[in-house]
Amino acid sequence: MRSYSNRHTLETISFIPCVASWERDYAAALRFWSPKYIQHSAHIAPGREGLFALVRSSPDTLRYENQVIVAEGDYVIAHGRFSGIGRPAAWIAADIVRFENGLLAEHWDVLQDEATQKNP
């Protein structure tokens, strides 16, 4: 069993299911995002409404599997895998979030197609 000691790490673990496809509980998710939330990702519209709109438009097959969460101060990096997104390959993501007053204040991400190993 994993052990988490950073408060923001625990908050991150709590908010992921609120917007992931298996819950999509937007009312609950609102309590985690600042109304002044800044979205730095080029593929997501501004603000928390942009993020929620992206998730609403995602296929029901969307799944997120978290692998690692690292936190320091007000920053958390969650590394995981998005599958069922209607693309030829799953996305491997590093989501970086900054907390302010206990709420998600900013988000950046790094995405790449999952590498597959093929035998010749």
Side-chain angles (χ1 to χ4, degrees):
M1 183 170 171
R2 293 180 179 171
S3 172
Y4 301 102
S5 59
N6 181 290
R7 176 176 56 99
H8 295 315
T9 301
L10 295 171
E11 290 164 343
T12 303
I13 293 167
S14 298
F15 80 73
I16 290 172
C18 289
V19 294
S21 63
W22 59 90
E23 278 189 32
R24 296 188 187 204
D25 187 347
Y26 301 104
L30 285 173
R31 75 176 187 260
F32 293 103
W33 270 267
S34 168
K36 298 176 184 177
Y37 173 73
I38 301 169
Q39 179 59 261
H40 295 284
S41 178
H43 72 279
I44 304 174
R48 63 185 184 183
E49 293 78 17
L51 175 64
F52 295 166
L54 173 73
V55 174
R56 282 186 186 103
S57 69
S58 298
D60 290 339
T61 55
L62 171 69
R63 295 292 176 264
Y64 176 76
E65 303 163 68
N66 180 258
Q67 299 301 314
V68 176
I69 294 181
V70 179
E72 183 167 326
D74 290 334
Y75 291 86
V76 175
I77 300 173
H79 179 263
R81 178 180 187 266
F82 288 95
S83 61
I85 54 178
R87 298 175 48 88
W91 266 348
I92 304 303
D95 288 288
I96 305 153
V97 294
R98 182 181 66 82
F99 283 86
E100 185 176 277
N101 299 322
L103 298 174
L104 284 158
E106 291 185 82
H107 169 262
W108 301 261
D109 60 29
V110 179
L111 299 169
Q112 72 177 50
D113 287 343
E114 183 174 47
T116 58
Q117 184 179 33
K118 294 183 180 181
N119 293 327

